[in-house]
Amino acid sequence: MTVSGQQNSVKGETPLLVLASASPRRVYLLRQIGVVPDRIVPADIDETPAKNELPRTYARRMALEKARAVASSVTEPALILAADTVVTLGRRILPKAENRETAQFCLERLSGRRHTVITSVTVMPSLNWSQGRIAERLVETAVTFNRLTPHQINTLLDAGDWEGKAGGYALQGHAAGFIRFLSGSSSAVIGLPLFETAQLLRGQPGHWLA
């Protein structure tokens, strides 16, 4: 792994940092703290919530399963970093918006209401890096949208940055102009809580971060 231009060495090994996500925003966020993944390996898992599964439990399970799936496929010494972000209204998990109709469904329900964004982060060593250890953090952030008119919802939908986003919006996109309250980690809402991720990396053997 490259950290501020230096390579990490642990007992003669150079563990890779593998990001278990295809999300370009997570790569961008990691670069903000000087971390560049050596490899990006999206986890291919079933992301369907279990019946009556609570949002926190679901987010933790998803991050853990993503990390485990990728860790089992990496043969080199490596540390796997996985995350999952869930947007919730009470106990209800809002879907990831894969089409305009789903995004509209989410925005209509978030309009004028406070909701919670839960992001779970897991780090897990590959089988060939025995010095590493499994660790996780779960971060909750409260977010409130202004009441949205039908025209404003259509404007957000036309912008298109809802695609593939939990809850049908992107904090780093056009939705930022309609969010009147945020308490917690803005980077967690975008997809990766930077302080907590940095703490997880610092907690591993070696020099993963300054």
Side-chain angles (χ1 to χ4, degrees), residues 25-26 55-56 59 84-90 92-94 110 113-120 137-145 165-172 179 181-193:
R25 64 190 181 275
R26 289 191 173 121
R56 293 179 187 87
D84 192 74
T85 299
V86 178
V87 175
T88 72
L89 279 170
R92 181 176 189 173
I93 299 173
L94 291 184
L110 295 175
R113 302 179 66 182
R114 179 177 296 193
H115 63 278
T116 302
V117 180
I118 302 170
T119 297
S120 184
R137 295 286 187 277
L138 188 135
V139 178
E140 297 188 26
T141 304
V143 183
T144 304
F145 267 92
K165 305 298 191 301
Y169 75 93
L171 181 64
Q172 72 277 25
I179 291 173
F181 175 84
L182 187 150
S183 178
S185 169
S186 58
S187 62
V189 178
I190 296 172
L192 194 68

Side-chain angles (χ1 to χ4, degrees), residues 26-121:
R26 289 191 173 121
V27 175
Y28 172 80
L29 287 167
L30 283 172
R31 288 180 180 272
Q32 283 189 245
I33 57 173
V35 175
V36 181
D38 296 292
R39 192 174 298 171
I40 296 173
V41 183
D44 183 16
I45 64 169
D46 181 3
E47 298 189 34
T48 306
K51 184 178 180 180
N52 299 322
E53 188 170 26
L54 295 177
R56 293 179 187 87
T57 304
Y58 172 72
R60 291 182 65 185
R61 180 173 68 84
M62 286 294 97
L64 182 62
E65 289 187 7
K66 288 176 183 179
R68 184 179 291 126
V70 174
S72 67
S73 71
V74 176
T75 58
E76 304 95 328
L79 182 68
I80 315 304
L81 172 63
D84 192 74
T85 299
V86 178
V87 175
T88 72
L89 279 170
R91 294 188 172 190
R92 181 176 189 173
I93 299 173
L94 291 184
K96 183 181 293 186
E98 302 295 353
N99 54 57
R100 187 183 178 100
E101 291 72 24
T102 302
Q104 181 174 346
F105 169 86
C106 292
L107 290 171
E108 288 175 348
R109 278 145 189 82
L110 295 175
S111 174
R113 302 179 66 182
R114 179 177 296 193
H115 63 278
T116 302
V117 180
I118 302 170
T119 297
S120 184
V121 184

